[in-house]
Amino acid sequence: AVAEPGAVLKGLGEPAQAGIQRLHHTETLTILNVVWAPMMTLRPHNHRIWAVIGVYTGREDNVFWRRREGGRIEAAGAKALGEKDAEPLGADIIHSVTNPIARLTGAIHVYGGDFYAPGRSEWDPETLIEREFDFGTSRRLFEDLNRRWGFA
């Protein structure tokens, strides 16, 4: 789909604010339209299901992490995704996401399961110690950044 970003924009509309829009959601497949606020960073997390990320406008930088002893993680690589780029992520991948540009970035995220099911982890951005993923914290981050950038 992201090979034709104009078609995606025609179908979904130009991104107007940061957020996560459910396009399809079942126990076996979740498809989301994720719009990142300018300069937004989402802390390290895992999905525990495979995923494919495809950018249709803007840029999404991913830092990939690996587990260390003691429950911490360390950076293990990175990949910048721009318009028309797609990247598969295995079920065991830990990554953080940054939109490094001063405009909204839109990406289609496809997950091989129920994205909203429990069982995911996130890592504290300062200590890099694992904890249960908190959807509320992520939702508030999107809301706060929308207010800060005047999108809400």
Side-chain angles (χ1 to χ4, degrees), residues 44-46 48 65-75 94 121-132:
H45 62 281
N46 65 19
R48 297 209 174 133
W65 302 83
R66 69 175 154 242
R67 293 178 182 273
R68 291 180 28 199
E69 289 185 34
R72 293 177 188 251
I73 54 173
E74 65 184 2
I94 300 165
S121 296
E122 64 185 11
W123 282 259
D124 182 276
E126 290 186 36
T127 65
L128 297 178
I129 294 176
E130 187 173 11
R131 62 188 182 206
E132 184 177 334

Side-chain angles (χ1 to χ4, degrees), residues 39-111:
M39 315 312 268
M40 179 179 188
T41 296
L42 187 62
R43 65 206 163 285
H45 62 281
N46 65 19
H47 305 127
R48 297 209 174 133
I49 50 179
W50 64 260
V52 178
I53 299 165
V55 176
Y56 63 89
T57 186
R59 199 169 113 207
E60 179 179 315
D61 288 353
N62 286 265
V63 174
F64 301 106
W65 302 83
R66 69 175 154 242
R67 293 178 182 273
R68 291 180 28 199
E69 289 185 34
R72 293 177 188 251
I73 54 173
E74 65 184 2
K79 180 113 185 213
L81 302 176
E83 187 177 290
K84 298 185 180 184
D85 289 337
E87 182 70 16
L89 304 177
D92 59 344
I93 295 294
I94 300 165
H95 74 133
S96 54
V97 182
T98 298
N99 173 9
I101 62 176
R103 68 178 179 89
L104 294 166
T105 287
I108 302 297
H109 290 219
V110 179
Y111 300 94

